[in-house]
Amino acid sequence: EKVAEDGPSQEQVDKAKENALKNISENRISNAYWQNRITFMDKYGINRDAGYEDAVNSLTTDSIREFAKYITQQGNRTTLVMSPESSK
């Protein structure tokens, strides 16, 4: 909800974009990456690799804030509690 109200900082967006672009270039040398993309394209007809860099570079603090606002206005909520496995 904080992101929906205030949005992320420009520094957070820049770091996330830098990380996403670094990861995609590293992932593209992996056969598993391409196998996943080909399977997805075959099943759904959508090329998830095309335009990735443009999509990442188009992200702004405002676009992220607006998306978070759209998602939170739906009113769907989930509580997630993570507990460590008990050691025996």
Side-chain angles (χ1 to χ4, degrees), residues 36-76:
N36 178 279
R37 293 302 181 256
I38 291 167
T39 301
F40 192 88
M41 178 127 175
D42 186 50
K43 187 172 184 177
Y44 300 106
I46 299 170
N47 183 347
R48 291 179 23 192
D49 190 70
Y52 182 84
E53 287 89 347
D54 291 338
V56 170
N57 286 322
S58 72
L59 294 173
T60 65
T61 56
D62 287 338
S63 67
I64 294 169
R65 181 177 39 76
E66 289 301 316
F67 180 71
K69 190 183 298 184
Y70 169 75
I71 294 297
T72 57
Q73 286 175 345
Q74 294 176 6
N76 299 323

Side-chain angles (χ1 to χ4, degrees), residues 7-58:
S9 70
Q10 186 61 51
E11 180 182 359
Q12 290 171 319
V13 173
D14 291 343
K15 279 182 153 182
K17 287 165 65 170
E18 179 183 337
N19 191 39
L21 294 172
K22 177 180 171 264
N23 286 342
I24 193 67
S25 65
E26 291 173 358
N27 289 341
R28 283 182 174 148
I29 61 174
S30 162
N31 286 337
Y33 172 84
W34 289 110
Q35 181 181 10
N36 178 279
R37 293 302 181 256
I38 291 167
T39 301
F40 192 88
M41 178 127 175
D42 186 50
K43 187 172 184 177
Y44 300 106
I46 299 170
N47 183 347
R48 291 179 23 192
D49 190 70
Y52 182 84
E53 287 89 347
D54 291 338
V56 170
N57 286 322
S58 72

